[in-house]
Amino acid sequence: MPEFIDAHGVAIVYDVHAARTPARGVVQLLHGVGEHAGRYAALIEALTADGFTVYADDHRGHGRTGLRQHGGSGKLGRLGKGGHRAAVDALWRFTRLIRDENPDLPLVLLGHSWGSFLAQKLVNAHPTAYDGLVLSGSALPWPGTLNSGPLNKPWSGPDATGVEWLSSDPATGAAFLDDPLTTATPMLQLFGPWNTLQVLSRPKRGLARDIPTLMLVGSEDTVGGPKSVHRLAAVGDRLRVLREAAQTSRRRRRGWFLAASPRGRSRPASL
């Protein structure tokens, strides 16, 4: 499996999924907290069938990267030296690698949940690097618009698994819990207070370009929900939102992305 080395010497593991029809673009896929790129097989299958090459890494502390970084699964989800800023920097390095290998194709940044917050930071810092942006299971990552409490609270009870908030399909939650490369530990416990605060951001004004943007959120998403996504769109005059799809498929985080995702699980296990 390919890898690159970040600024702190961490080997970031990634996969490249070639387009299965004439290539018309490249997607950089950013997963959520507590999970890994392998959970997006169905989405990757759909994108490659439609002419997109997909680059998907396991972020710092996560999945195969986390196993190697921490020497086992006991600390999966923990970012390690450099923290959240190092995670963002590693993704920017990944973007440059993708651009170097595909100089003539448009690049779409697609982030889900925490991955969508990472994507917002990347676009704020490097707006000319991306030709399109998809934010799935997203929110405006700012105090007052982001849920800092228990995400599974609406479904709490004696028979709750703790991950009902991920999807309306029970099989999605079960598959998440059965995956040895995931963790349901909340973000605050994984990242610590300082690095959790580093997740926060707001769209910058006056960026060098408008980026076609698609936003997707489930009607019962407890991370931020449709209201927070609408606020994100309103705050960001840098974002020319071509289609703001508050895809409210039956419940929770379900929407276009969730339906295509490996377990259908629209987000990470904690944020």
Side-chain angles (χ1 to χ4, degrees):
M1 64 190 92
E3 63 182 49
F4 66 92
I5 307 300
D6 77 2
H8 295 271
V10 174
I12 309 295
V13 178
Y14 67 94
D15 297 302
V16 181
H17 305 271
R20 291 182 288 121
T21 58
R24 60 195 184 102
V26 180
V27 172
Q28 181 179 352
L29 176 60
L30 280 58
H31 66 73
V33 166
E35 60 165 351
H36 56 93
R39 290 181 37 77
Y40 293 76
L43 174 62
I44 291 168
E45 177 76 11
L47 289 170
T48 56
D50 205 29
F52 291 93
T53 293
V54 179
Y55 284 70
D57 75 307
D58 288 352
H59 307 333
R60 258 178 154 256
H62 291 69
R64 298 161 297 174
T65 296
L67 285 179
R68 295 179 59 179
Q69 180 181 349
H70 299 308
S73 61
K75 294 184 178 181
L76 280 177
R78 288 167 171 78
L79 300 175
K81 184 178 179 180
H84 197 267
R85 289 180 179 176
V88 175
D89 178 70
L91 289 170
W92 171 235
R93 287 176 179 244
F94 195 30
T95 295
R96 287 180 288 168
L97 180 156
I98 295 167
R99 277 295 195 191
D100 287 345
E101 294 184 359
N102 304 271
D104 301 320
L105 290 173
L107 175 59
V108 177
L109 188 61
L110 191 163
H112 176 67
S113 191
W114 175 49
S116 78
F117 304 152
L118 292 166
Q120 291 180 50
K121 285 185 174 288
L122 288 169
V123 168
N124 272 345
H126 313 284
T128 61
Y130 306 102
D131 302 294
L133 176 64
V134 179
L135 302 176
S136 167
S138 195
L140 175 63
W142 198 252
T145 67
L146 202 58
N147 180 9
S148 59
L151 298 178
N152 211 57
K153 184 176 180 179
W155 303 279
S156 61
D159 298 323
T161 65
V163 293
E164 283 84 0
W165 65 281
L166 295 178
S167 170
S168 58
D169 182 0
T172 295
F176 179 86
L177 293 173
D178 289 342
D179 190 330
L181 293 181
T182 64
T183 175
T185 304
M187 177 184 280
L188 183 59
Q189 289 178 243
L190 290 174
F191 290 5
W194 174 251
N195 282 305
T196 298
L197 286 173
Q198 299 305 306
V199 173
L200 302 179
S201 69
R202 291 167 63 90
K204 287 185 178 178
R205 297 180 181 275
L207 294 186
R209 65 182 299 190
D210 288 330
I211 302 172
T213 300
L214 172 64
M215 299 179 183
L216 305 127
V217 62
S219 60
E220 297 184 32
D221 190 331
T222 52
V223 170
K227 184 177 180 180
S228 184
V229 170
H230 279 272
R231 289 190 66 179
L232 172 62
V235 166
D237 67 2
R238 66 166 169 85
L239 300 175
R240 186 182 349 144
V241 181
L242 298 184
R243 290 171 55 206
E244 184 193 75
Q247 292 259 18
T248 55
S249 53
R250 287 188 311 122
R251 295 169 50 193
R252 307 201 265 291
R253 313 219 52 190
R254 228 33 156 166
W256 169 86
F257 191 5
L258 197 51
S261 143
R263 302 174 179 175
R265 151 203 190 225
S266 151
R267 59 181 307 98
S270 53
L271 213 232

